[in-house]
Amino acid sequence: CITIQDKKTLQFTRFRLRKAQRKLLLSFEKQRLAGDPIRTIVAKARQWGGSTLTEIYMMWIQQMHRENWHIAVIAHLDDAAKHIRGMYVRAAKYYPNNVGTITLSPYERSSKNLICKEKGCILGVGSVENPDQFHGYSYAMAHLSEVSRWGETAKKSANELIQALRPTVPDVPYSMIVLESTANGRGNMFHNEWVAATTGESRYDPIFVSWFEIDLYQRPIKDRQDFIHKMDTHPKREYWWSLWMKGSTLEGIAWYMFFQSAENLSDLQMWRQYPSDAEEAFSSTGHRVFS
């Protein structure tokens, strides 16, 4: 029922789940079907549609399961917040009439907050740069995007804003809190949340999405035997084969080799933006005091 803009063609098309999105959907559905509040933290590579799926899933809950069930979407920049808002508006515009209608209008003359006339559900979208707009509402679902990029502001720190928002989300079925981000080193709030989730110290379901789980990152290979020979004789052959053992295709490794060389990116830069596992994602600066 949802129309999105395809990342490759930039054309409007019906939304279909990709491999990595199915992985995230499993986390949501596993908790929903168990009757639990949905709490998920996502560490990820770039450009796989995690925010898209999260918004669509929250919209589905609003349209099919709940009324007066408000969403708060907080990004690290105002432009990113506007992009997420535009995705929601597009989905509402192209929603099939035989399923229902989604009529959106500004909520209390706000330029950022929208309300769905049919369900009474509010969509509040903003950024950590302007946190005050989220005061005074009761949100049942919160999507916090690119959390590791949230810097300190004159009004509130990222950690304070998150801790202030969490208690406003009720601890009931169909409520949601999703923390998602590319990693940004260790010791920050997002890293601490990830460690707590993976060690069982919090109830958040940890989902990691590697670059080779993303359909975009493939490069055709003309001669597979020649490519394998180049892998075997390359100075980084152990690393290339470790990617294969983790689940990458040869076409994925070919993309990784080409992209890193073409963009002149260091290993650390690749690990930050296109990690193959959580250890790479949360790599530090590379300048360690101790080995």
Side-chain angles (χ1 to χ4, degrees):
C1 294
I2 298 298
T3 296
I4 63 168
Q5 187 173 31
D6 185 82
K7 289 185 181 295
K8 284 186 176 181
T9 66
L10 302 182
Q11 300 301 307
F12 292 164
T13 183
R14 289 296 187 193
F15 174 68
R16 290 178 176 82
L17 288 164
R18 294 174 173 170
K19 179 180 178 181
Q21 290 169 328
R22 292 197 296 271
K23 187 176 182 179
L24 179 58
L25 179 60
L26 176 61
S27 172
F28 294 163
E29 282 291 88
K30 179 176 63 177
Q31 296 174 77
R32 183 185 73 88
L33 293 173
D36 296 329
I38 300 168
R39 302 292 186 267
T40 299
I41 182 170
V42 186
K44 61 188 180 64
R46 299 180 60 196
Q47 300 295 320
W48 62 283
S51 291
T52 299
L53 173 61
T54 301
E55 294 312 304
I56 290 171
Y57 190 84
M58 288 181 170
M59 176 184 271
W60 174 70
I61 289 178
Q62 285 183 331
Q63 298 304 314
M64 298 296 180
H65 296 283
R66 292 291 187 271
E67 294 183 354
N68 305 313
W69 211 247
H70 309 323
I71 301 173
V73 180
I74 308 178
H76 64 305
L77 298 172
D78 281 333
D79 286 346
K82 291 177 183 177
H83 174 75
I84 294 174
R85 184 179 187 271
M87 183 187 352
Y88 193 101
V89 171
R90 183 187 306 115
K93 178 181 179 181
Y94 291 101
Y95 200 67
N97 290 330
N98 63 316
V99 178
T101 58
I102 303 176
T103 308
L104 300 177
S105 60
Y107 180 67
E108 294 186 349
R109 300 180 180 179
S110 169
S111 61
K112 295 183 178 181
N113 297 332
L114 300 174
I115 186 168
C116 171
K117 176 182 177 182
E118 292 81 356
K119 293 289 185 176
C121 297
I122 296 171
L123 170 68
V125 179
S127 75
V128 72
E129 296 175 331
N130 298 293
D132 290 340
Q133 80 159 89
F134 296 100
H135 296 168
Y137 299 103
S138 296
Y139 294 104
M141 299 183 286
H143 174 202
L144 313 182
S145 179
E146 287 298 339
V147 177
S148 71
R149 301 291 190 257
W150 291 14
E152 302 295 314
T153 69
K155 296 181 180 180
K156 190 179 290 289
S157 73
N159 187 58
E160 287 175 339
L161 179 57
I162 289 176
Q163 300 311 323
L165 272 171
R166 277 175 167 168
T168 69
V169 178
D171 196 24
V172 296
Y174 286 92
S175 68
M176 283 185 72
I177 300 178
V178 179
L179 307 174
E180 57 93 358
S181 187
T182 50
N184 190 23
R186 297 173 179 267
N188 54 43
M189 183 276 299
F190 183 68
H191 177 247
N192 292 337
E193 292 284 346
W194 176 260
V195 171
T198 55
T199 57
E201 295 177 11
S202 80
R203 64 176 174 179
Y204 281 70
D205 187 23
I207 300 296
F208 177 79
V209 177
S210 65
W211 65 268
F212 54 77
E213 295 177 281
I214 301 171
D215 304 333
L216 292 172
Y217 304 137
Q218 302 283 318
R219 184 174 174 83
I221 299 173
K222 293 181 179 179
D223 187 332
R224 295 173 72 86
Q225 291 300 322
D226 180 62
F227 181 75
I228 290 172
H229 176 71
K230 288 180 179 178
M231 282 178 60
D232 274 335
T233 56
H234 196 279
K236 292 176 63 175
R237 59 185 176 275
E238 291 185 5
Y239 182 71
W240 302 136
W241 283 115
S242 75
L243 296 178
W244 168 265
M245 296 303 294
K246 290 174 182 176
S248 174
T249 61
L250 292 177
E251 288 77 10
I253 297 171
W255 171 85
Y256 194 102
M257 288 179 169
F258 172 80
F259 185 79
Q260 182 175 15
S261 175
E263 299 297 326
N264 191 31
L265 297 174
S266 67
D267 288 343
L268 181 62
Q269 289 172 317
M270 290 296 291
W271 295 345
R272 288 270 185 89
Q273 299 298 321
Y274 307 97
S276 59
D277 56 30
E279 184 177 353
E280 286 186 1
F282 290 102
S283 297
S284 187
T285 60
H287 302 290
R288 298 176 180 172
V289 176
F290 302 105
S291 63

